[in-house]
Amino acid sequence: MTLQWLTALIFIGISSIINGQPALNDTIFFMNGDILQCDIIDDSQIEVVFEFQKRKRRKQLGVHKSEIFGIINNGVKEVYYEENEIVGDDLTISEVEVYLAGQRDARELYKTKKIFYTGLGVTLAISIAGEAGLLAVTVPLLIYPAAQYIPYIKIKGETIVNPNHKFNLIYAEGYEGVARGKRVMAALKGSAAGTVIGAFFYRLVLQ
């Protein structure tokens, strides 16, 4: 079992104890970097059926194996991912583990509050200054989220769980993809909120 898998299992186990949740014996590692503690019910050739805890209730779900990197079922590790250059899966198993670690760290630790509040403030001001006109409402709402595809994603050391990944290009690729998506969503939410608040403020207070 690799260090990444072991670290993830320890973290999930501690979280379950703290939250007072019943123990779930198996683990699924998804291709998007997510890790789910669950009880695997069926492992067929096509999909994995499992039960997981959500809001203190158990739910059952089936997921196609193409969406799963690997599982730990009854303490036995099994990897579903296979290197296949024909379909674009050209990374080795160890490289995919690093890539998924990048995705996971970005999803859990990359912060986008600054992006949200900047979008809120800028679009709020433009909406009011533009008298809640069509261009003042729509243009910033489109431009600010789209602009998040441009800047370089800086990976801060404190968001890297495993220090060995610090200068790893594969890790950075996984991290940047998720981080950029989070930036776009934060920008979209912030600019939408700012536009709506600005339009209402202008029409109800200033007009």
Side-chain angles (χ1 to χ4, degrees):
M1 187 181 297
T2 63
L3 179 61
Q4 291 96 334
W5 289 47
L6 183 60
T7 303
L9 287 178
I10 292 173
F11 176 79
I12 292 173
I14 293 173
S15 298
S16 297
I17 293 172
I18 293 174
N19 295 327
Q21 298 176 351
L24 297 168
N25 300 316
D26 306 318
T27 309
I28 297 179
F29 299 83
F30 292 95
M31 288 299 296
N32 66 354
D34 284 343
I35 300 175
L36 179 67
Q37 197 78 2
C38 63
D39 281 330
I40 295 176
I41 300 172
D42 185 42
D43 181 6
S44 67
Q45 292 183 342
I46 299 175
E47 68 174 4
V48 176
V49 180
F50 54 91
E51 286 187 347
F52 64 101
Q53 198 82 15
K54 186 175 183 181
R55 296 176 182 174
K56 298 183 179 181
R57 292 185 179 182
R58 284 206 170 205
K59 294 192 175 183
Q60 184 171 310
L61 186 66
V63 176
H64 196 278
K65 284 189 172 181
S66 62
E67 299 179 38
I68 299 175
F69 172 75
I71 64 172
I72 296 179
N73 189 2
N74 292 322
V76 179
K77 173 183 173 181
E78 183 178 359
V79 176
Y80 295 148
Y81 172 84
E82 293 182 354
E83 187 177 353
N84 188 339
E85 294 185 2
I86 296 177
V87 297
D89 296 333
D90 54 353
L91 297 179
T92 65
I93 290 176
S94 60
E95 287 173 337
V96 172
E97 287 184 321
V98 172
Y99 183 89
L100 297 181
Q103 289 185 314
R104 188 162 53 251
D105 288 354
R107 185 173 293 110
E108 296 176 0
L109 301 173
Y110 186 77
K111 306 300 182 184
T112 56
K113 285 185 178 180
K114 184 178 179 180
I115 303 297
F116 174 86
Y117 287 114
T118 299
L120 189 151
V122 169
T123 54
L124 174 64
I126 293 176
S127 182
I128 294 174
E131 300 180 347
L134 180 62
L135 291 178
V137 170
T138 57
V139 173
L141 187 59
L142 296 174
I143 292 179
Y144 185 64
Q148 303 310 312
Y149 287 101
I150 300 173
Y152 166 78
I153 301 294
K154 183 179 180 180
I155 304 177
K156 296 182 179 180
E158 60 267 26
T159 67
I160 303 175
V161 174
N162 186 344
N164 293 328
H165 294 153
K166 190 171 184 179
F167 300 107
N168 190 297
L169 295 179
I170 295 175
Y171 172 88
E173 185 178 351
Y175 189 106
E176 289 173 2
V178 173
R180 196 170 298 283
K182 290 182 68 174
R183 287 180 66 99
V184 172
M185 286 304 300
L188 184 59
K189 291 177 181 178
S191 56
T195 298
V196 171
I197 294 171
F200 271 100
F201 182 81
Y202 176 78
R203 295 187 183 280
L204 296 178
V205 178
L206 301 180
Q207 195 172 39

